[in-house]
């Protein structure tokens, strides 16, 4: 008998809000916050928009403590993780006593810090490279900083599977609990909008250059815009927490796959996406007609939005009514490795409020199936079970199913 | 816990500063060969130290001529060759594995740091036009296991990168073990890789953690670690699959344990707290006790604090048995190959079990009263190795112990 996995706490920070409620309200109100990214003077002069936090002051959230050892990625993680820990009624002592672990998904983690450390050593001199900053050049730096902050002495894992990183970290944590290897885990995702990443992704021609907002599922889409933020959940085995905790939702299951064509063979990628969704549904013991809404992965990519739309139309082809679907990255931007956790947090809020955010600025949809319904506006739905999809342009696909506790 | 599949090692691939290829690396270690030399890959004239453990004779095209036209970072190249050697060692290079569910699980400390260095070089030289799509195609570290998976057709499972710094190889082995035990996979290439990096070298130099000439773990006169590079892969397979194809079983993965110090970003816990919990969990998972352990492949970096704290941890957990267990640090020869280290060391543990030879700690001259256990100084030792514990500790406080044991039919 496998354990069931409850979500007992949520935490969020992005430019759209510094709590889960504020963030979700902004998403439902389609409060877009894309601004031109300001690069250092010696960077290429690019007109790229992104959704990022102008001033991030951890003292405002966590009091007057020494945040010097934590870089931006760790600070974002810490703010969101603190909310998840506090809302799930854990405290530092209990986390330590119970040897609670952490699983953090990120695509780049501290790329900005890593780049700066090397740049500083090369320009100012090796003697000016700060040992304190070196600690933040390992890719598991943020996870290590969180462990120190909260006294998390359980397994400490950083997961990097590109765009699906935090979805994968949630899936890993889910499996750890269902197989009784842990009773509780703090899981989440983080992505800082770092200049080296923006330059690099722009070189891949994946960004919507000079566009002020992305257009997922729209015929006029030309790429995605980046966001930044961190999103966390406290996961616990239902058996260990039922009766004494506020349970936000249940993780019902999930699945992941690798598509070697990486979108080059459209038919093959569609097939892999469908297989991943079907496997996630099977793992969750649920059929497609019981899914009430979909948080799509669509971000404005010319190739992958199309692939996802086709896959969804086939997964839900036997439904009598169209499946309500949102491309929430139209509002948040693509948070890369943090996207999965962000979408999962949003999906849980949809379960709680019955509100499914819209896909603003969608005027000329690519979706020609009557099995999928993508609305510009936030809609009210009867939401008991939702699907969270992450499709990476690198071939990695991860799907989760979340539901109300019943 | 549901009924578990047994996990066995059927192949080992090692790319190290003391030898490329499993046999070469093993023989070099038994011969106490040092892999240290003056750093070649960048100018160290402004550093106080100049020694590194680079693999100077590594040429990707020699090993994978058919892939030489592709643009890969050096870590990816090291990883692909390590994986290839592991498959060859398992006798799988020409096998039809289409019926098996296969995957890749990897660890790393820095992924492709050379790409960040390239980025900065172009920035400093104001040569942005020379930075193309290859930078971002290559840098994100999950691209490394994806490239390994693509190269060898090990993509039935989604490839995964677990960057747990210097414990990363063991984390990957632990993940792969879980996947096979849960019957999600039949065979996984599990390992780690890291390339020699200016960033890593600068950081350790600034921590004053690099030894000026030689690495002497557990020696009173030890002066630090020596950064290195390499890759190590194990072919991990379900016992069912291994038996079905008549594989040569080298060892069994008995279990693993992971933990976090939650103490300091770069220093280990002074009482070995997290290390002890990782070892305890590994023993519990393996259904073994400390008295069963024949050999500990230590993290043994050669820094003042690591070696003392590790010794304290072993003594606290093993109690009276601590003096009886043979311990060595192969970093005394390979240097610290970062995310590859514990994967390479897991391979060495498997070879120790297979050959009943305990690998030595090289360069050991002066006993340290604070490190007073049996470190197998300067020469390998013959002896029954039934159970080997592979310990790895990392920045961020991540600890991972993997236990390998003799496979009994």
């Amino acid at each position: 008998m496998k354990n069931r996995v409850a979500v007992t706490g949520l935490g969020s920070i992005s430019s759209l809000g510094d709590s889960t409620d504020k963030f979700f309200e902004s998403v439902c109100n389609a409060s877009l916050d894309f601004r031109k990214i300001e690069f250092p003077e010696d960077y290429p002069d690019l007109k790229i928009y992104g959704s990022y936090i102008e001033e991030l002051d951890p003292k405002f959230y966590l009091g007057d403590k020494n945040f010097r050892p934590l870089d931006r990625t760790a600070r974002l993680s810490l703010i969101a993780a603190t909310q998840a820990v506090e809302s799930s009624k854990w405290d530092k002592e209990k986390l330590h006593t119970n040897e609670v672990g952490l699983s953090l998904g990120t695509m780049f983690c501290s790329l900005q810090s890593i780049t700066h450390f090397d740049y500083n050593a090369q320009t100012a001199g090796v003697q000016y490279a700060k040992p304190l900053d070196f600690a933040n050049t390992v890719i598991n730096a943020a996870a290590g900083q969180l462990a120190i902050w909260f006294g998390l002495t359980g397994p400490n894992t950083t997961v990097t599977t590109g765009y699906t990183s935090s979805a994968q970290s949630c899936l890993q944590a889910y499996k750890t609990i269902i197989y009784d290897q842990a009773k509780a885990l703090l899981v989440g995702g983080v992505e800082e909008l770092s200049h080296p990443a923006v330059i690099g992704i722009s070189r891949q021609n994946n960004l919507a250059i000079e566009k002020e907002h992305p257009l997922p599922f729209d015929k006029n889409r030309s790429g995605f815009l980046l966001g930044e933020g961190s999103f966390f959940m406290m996961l616990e085995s239902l058996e260990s927490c039922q009766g004494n905790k506020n349970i936000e939702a249940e993780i019902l299951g999930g699945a992941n796959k690798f598509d070697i064509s990486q979108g080059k063979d459209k038919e093959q990628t569609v097939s892999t996406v469908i297989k991943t969704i079907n496997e996630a549904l099977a793992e969750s013991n649920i059929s497609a007609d019981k899914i009430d809404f979909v948080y799509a992965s669509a971000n404005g990519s010319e190739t992958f939005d199309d692939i996802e739309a086709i896959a969804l139309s086939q997964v839900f082809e036997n439904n009598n009514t169209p499946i309500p679907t949102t491309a929430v990255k139209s509002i948040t931007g693509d948070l890369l490795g943090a996207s999965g956790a962000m979408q999962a947090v949003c999906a849980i809020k949809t379960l709680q409020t019955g509100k499914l955010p819209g896909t603003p600025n969608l005027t000329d949809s690519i979706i020609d199936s009557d099995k999928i319904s993508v609305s510009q506006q936030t809609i009210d739905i009867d939401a008991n079970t939702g699907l969270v999809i992450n499709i990476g342009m690198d071939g990695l696909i991860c799907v989760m199913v979340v539901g109300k506790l019943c | 816990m549901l009924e578990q599949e047994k996990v066995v090692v059927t192949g080992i691939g090692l790319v190290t500063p003391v030898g490329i290829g499993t046999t070469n690396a093993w023989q070099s270690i038994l011969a106490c060969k040092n892999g240290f030399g003056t750093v070649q890959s960048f100018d160290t004239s402004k550093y106080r130290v100049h020694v590194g453990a680079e693999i100077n004779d590594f040429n990707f095209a020699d090993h994978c001529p058919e892939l030489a036209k592709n643009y890969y970072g050096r870590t990816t190249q090291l990883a692909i060759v390590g994986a290839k050697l592991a498959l060859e060692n398992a006798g799988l290079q020409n096998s039809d594995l289409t019926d098996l569910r296969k995957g890749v699980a990897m660890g790393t400390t820095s992924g492709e740091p050379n790409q960040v260095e390239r980025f900065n070089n172009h920035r400093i030289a104001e040569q942005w036009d020379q930075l193309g799509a290859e930078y971002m195609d290559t840098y994100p570290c999950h691209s490394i296991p994806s490239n390994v998976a693509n190269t060898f057709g090990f993509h039935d499972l989604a490839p995964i990168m677990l960057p747990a710094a210097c414990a990363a190889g063991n984390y990957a082995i632990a993940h792969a073990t879980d996947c096979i035990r849960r019957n999600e996979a039949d065979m996984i290439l599990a390992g780690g890789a890291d390339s020699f990096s200016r960033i890593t070298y600068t950081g350790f130099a600034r921590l004053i953690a690099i030894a000026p000439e030689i690495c002497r773990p557990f020696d009173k006169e030890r002066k630090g670690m020596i950064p290195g590079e390499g890759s190590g892969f194990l072919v991990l397979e379900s016992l069912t699959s291994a038996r079905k194809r008549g594989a040569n079983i080298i060892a069994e993965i008995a279990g693993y344990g992971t933990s976090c110090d939650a103490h300091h970003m770069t220093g280990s816990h002074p009482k070995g707290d997290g290390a002890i919990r990782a070892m305890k969990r590994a023993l519990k998972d393996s259904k073994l006790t400390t008295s069963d352990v024949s050999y500990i492949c230590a993290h043994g970096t050669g820094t003042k604090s690591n070696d003392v704290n590790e010794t304290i941890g072993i003594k606290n957990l093993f109690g009276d048995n601590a003096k009886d267990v043979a311990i060595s640090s192969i970093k005394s020869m390979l240097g610290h190959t970062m995310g590859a280290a514990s994967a390479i060391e897991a391979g060495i543990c498997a070879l120790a079990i297979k050959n009943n030879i305990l690998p030595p700690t090289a360069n050991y001259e002066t006993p340290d009263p604070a490190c007073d256990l049996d470190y197998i100084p300067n020469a390998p030792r013959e002896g029954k190795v039934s159970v080997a514990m592979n310990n790895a500790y990392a920045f961020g406080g991540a600890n991972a112990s993997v236990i390998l044991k003799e496979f009994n039919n």
Side-chain angles (χ1 to χ4, degrees), chain A residues 18-278:
Chain A
D18 54 8
S19 72
T20 299
D21 286 345
K22 283 186 203 167
F23 167 74
F24 191 67
E25 189 182 347
S26 295
V27 169
C28 288
N29 291 335
S31 306
L32 305 188
D33 188 40
F34 294 104
R35 280 166 286 129
K36 186 173 177 295
I37 297 169
E38 302 296 336
F39 293 100
E41 279 182 6
D42 60 342
Y43 270 57
D45 185 23
L46 294 173
K47 194 173 179 184
I48 300 175
Y49 290 78
S51 182
Y52 56 95
I53 301 164
E54 199 83 63
E55 287 181 21
L56 180 72
D57 181 8
K59 289 183 180 174
F60 177 76
Y61 303 100
L62 302 163
D64 192 9
K65 292 168 184 163
N66 177 20
F67 296 100
R68 169 69 184 89
L70 282 73
D71 67 3
R72 187 177 178 88
T73 296
R75 291 175 184 191
L76 287 165
S77 306
L78 180 61
I79 293 165
T82 300
Q83 294 169 23
V85 166
E86 288 178 354
S87 65
S88 63
K89 311 285 186 230
W90 284 83
D91 59 38
K92 202 168 172 177
E93 192 183 330
K94 278 191 212 162
L95 289 169
H96 183 77
T97 310
N98 288 276
E99 294 188 34
V100 172
L102 168 75
S103 182
L104 177 63
T106 180
M107 185 161 168
F108 292 114
C109 195
S110 301
L111 177 58
Q112 187 86 34
S113 301
I114 300 165
T115 308
H116 180 73
F117 178 82
D118 182 58
Y119 181 77
N120 195 36
Q122 296 310 309
T123 53
V126 172
Q127 68 274 25
Y128 292 101
K130 298 187 178 84
L132 190 66
D133 294 341
F134 178 49
N136 288 325
T137 68
V138 290
I139 302 168
N140 63 324
Q145 298 282 16
L146 291 195
I148 294 168
W149 194 271
F150 292 112
L152 299 167
T153 55
N156 187 280
T157 312
T158 300
V159 176
T160 56
T161 54
Y163 298 84
T164 67
S165 296
S166 59
Q168 181 64 29
S169 75
C170 293
L171 186 56
Q172 293 297 119
Y174 159 82
K175 287 183 179 176
T176 302
I177 293 173
I178 66 168
Y179 287 107
D180 209 22
Q181 292 172 294
K183 295 293 182 200
L185 277 164
L186 184 59
V187 304
V190 64
E191 212 68 72
E192 167 186 353
L193 197 151
S194 73
H195 295 135
V198 178
I199 297 294
I201 297 171
S202 75
R203 293 289 199 261
Q204 293 176 308
N205 295 321
N206 287 328
L207 293 180
I209 303 290
E210 298 192 0
K211 302 288 183 193
E212 295 183 18
H213 50 75
L215 291 169
F217 286 142
D218 194 290
K219 285 178 183 166
N220 296 310
R221 70 196 182 282
S222 59
F224 62 85
L225 296 183
L226 290 164
E228 77 169 350
S230 181
F231 297 83
F232 268 83
M233 295 180 280
M234 179 60 84
L235 302 189
E236 299 185 51
S237 100
L238 182 60
E239 292 72 13
S240 68
C241 69
Q242 207 163 21
N244 55 15
K245 284 278 173 76
N246 171 41
I247 293 171
E248 306 269 6
E250 183 176 358
I251 306 285
L252 297 173
N256 62 356
K257 290 210 174 293
F258 184 49
D259 167 53
I260 53 167
S261 101
Q262 300 177 3
K264 293 182 191 79
D265 180 340
K266 193 168 161 183
E267 209 169 295
Q268 185 183 327
T269 307
V270 167
S271 165
T272 312
V273 173
I274 292 170
K275 278 182 196 163
T276 317
I277 296 173
N278 286 336

Side-chain angles (χ1 to χ4, degrees), chain A residues 99 118 129 181 203 394, chain B residues 131 137 142 182 198 206 281:
Chain A
E99 294 188 34
D118 182 58
Q181 292 172 294
R203 293 289 199 261
D394 40 28
Chain B
L131 190 82
D137 289 345
H142 70 280
R182 293 168 185 163
R198 178 171 86 193
R206 293 290 294 130
R281 286 181 177 183

